[in-house]
Amino acid sequence: MPTKAVYLLAIPGFADWEPAHALAELRRHGQYRVEIVGLTRDPVQSMGGLTVQPSCALAGLDLGDIAVFILPGGDRWERQPTEPELGQTLAALDAAGVPIAAICAATTAIARAGLLHGRRHTSNGLAYLQAQVPAYTEAAAYVDAPAVRDRGLITASGLADVEFAAEIMAELGVLSEADRQLWTAIYRSGRLPAGVV
């Protein structure tokens, strides 16, 4: 059983479905603990109306306990600047070699924190990143793909929750490559392949 935990950042209005596959499979197949981190320890309501209770606040993170730090999307990323403490936390995680995974609009927080420099990445489209983050200058490393993993940074389109989960599992070594491919095919197609029960 892993000694570190999967940390999910819960901000008001977070897109609760985007990290769901990853969290379920990391717990089921990887035996990971899941911790919810908030900007504070106050309860947070998701876009879908789920209320979650953070187990810790951003300021109290123990970097040594984090196997991966997941940022789900949500409209808030497009409407508010990234909190300075979040930017500092992301930089500290990256410097410590802790994998960071951002999906959908949360990729704007990664871009604003300067973590995309020289790394292949994706988002909701190149034009989307350019519009949301005017200081973004990493178009040469942009990949038009559902999800991209490069040196501990995982990014994904908001339409790629399955591929996002698969890349996080790959980063943490959960399931074999063949099993991850099969898992992705099943969840993306909605069908079991012939001969699989």
Side-chain angles (χ1 to χ4, degrees):
M1 190 161 171
T3 58
K4 296 184 179 183
V6 170
Y7 277 70
L8 175 71
L9 178 66
I11 58 167
F14 73 95
D16 41 31
W17 68 94
E18 290 177 343
H21 280 300
L23 297 177
E25 300 304 340
L26 292 170
R27 275 179 51 90
R28 182 166 68 150
H29 294 296
Q31 308 283 307
Y32 279 94
R33 261 183 310 122
V34 173
E35 299 288 346
I36 306 299
V37 59
L39 298 173
T40 68
R41 297 241 4 229
D42 294 337
V44 177
Q45 190 172 71
S46 73
M47 191 181 288
L50 299 175
T51 299
V52 298
Q53 177 65 58
S55 52
C56 67
L58 201 58
L61 277 182
D62 173 6
L63 299 189
D65 188 48
I66 305 172
V68 64
F69 191 82
I70 301 175
L71 294 88
D75 297 337
R76 187 177 187 274
W77 297 117
E78 299 170 350
R79 297 179 181 157
Q80 294 181 230
T82 304
E83 288 77 6
E85 60 269 27
L86 177 56
Q88 292 162 6
T89 298
L90 292 172
L93 289 165
D94 191 50
V98 175
I100 299 170
I103 185 169
C104 195
T107 57
T108 64
I110 299 299
R112 290 181 186 120
L115 301 186
L116 298 178
H117 184 68
R119 284 170 156 154
R120 295 176 334 107
H121 60 278
T122 195
S123 181
N124 292 334
L126 178 57
Y128 170 83
L129 262 186
Q130 292 170 326
Q132 292 296 320
V133 187
Y136 170 76
T137 60
E138 297 297 319
Y142 187 86
V143 180
D144 186 13
V148 174
R149 181 167 53 102
D150 189 353
R151 292 172 285 151
L153 182 67
I154 300 156
T155 50
S157 156
L159 301 176
D161 58 316
V162 170
E163 294 83 357
F164 183 62
E167 291 295 346
I168 296 171
M169 287 191 283
E171 183 69 26
L172 297 182
V174 173
L175 299 179
S176 68
E177 184 176 349
D179 285 344
R180 285 192 304 271
Q181 288 176 356
L182 177 62
W183 180 88
T184 301
I186 289 169
Y187 278 93
R188 185 46 66 207
S189 70
R191 291 183 175 83
L192 287 174
V196 175
V197 180

